[in-house]
Amino acid sequence: MADVDVSQIDQRVRDQVARRGLFLVSPDSNPTDGLAHDQRYVFVCKDPDPDDVGFTGVGHVSDGRRSQTYKLVFAMDGTFSMGSPSRSQVPGVCMSWEQGIMTVLEAFDRWSGPYRD
């Protein structure tokens, strides 16, 4: 089971993700995946495969260490490293998964240009 049930994220936010042709993915915690185990993650990806989030992710939101009251946000910053855009932490914190996801989408819009309906 995924760490975060993305179906519980506000439908309006999920609609904004879908309008951009992106997906929300929350992979299962796995002791060998290199992710911190006291955090939960929601990735905003170009592909819905939870095993591919590192390659298709445009950003992610995670719980703060041992805290479920705030979220840390990482998003593509538009710079390129070895042919791939790099991910940088967005300054500050968000108070909800929805707010964090919308922050990732704002960075995606800046990096990728306007999306089409």
Side-chain angles (χ1 to χ4, degrees), residues 1-110:
M1 172 177 265
D3 280 350
V4 178
D5 182 356
V6 295
S7 70
Q8 298 300 309
I9 291 172
D10 187 284
Q11 182 65 49
R12 293 170 292 195
V13 172
R14 290 186 286 141
D15 289 346
Q16 289 296 317
V17 171
R19 287 179 64 199
R20 292 162 174 83
L22 301 172
F23 302 90
L24 294 178
V25 177
S26 181
D28 298 338
S29 289
N30 179 340
T32 62
D33 64 8
L35 298 175
H37 301 295
D38 57 352
Q39 293 180 321
R40 298 178 301 162
Y41 293 84
V42 173
F43 289 87
V44 181
C45 300
K46 294 180 180 181
D47 187 307
D49 180 1
D51 293 328
D52 199 24
V53 295
F55 298 100
T56 68
V58 298
H60 71 269
V61 183
S62 68
D63 287 55
R65 284 207 180 271
R66 296 186 179 97
S67 170
Q68 294 182 12
T69 54
Y70 65 89
K71 315 295 183 226
L72 300 175
V73 180
F74 290 81
M76 293 299 185
D77 64 9
T79 61
F80 286 81
S81 173
M82 296 180 61
S84 302
S86 64
R87 231 177 255 148
S88 294
Q89 183 171 357
V90 176
V93 296
C94 295
M95 299 310 292
S96 68
W97 293 111
E98 288 83 359
Q99 185 183 17
I101 292 165
M102 291 306 297
T103 301
V104 170
L105 294 180
E106 290 167 10
F108 175 77
D109 292 346
R110 280 192 308 273

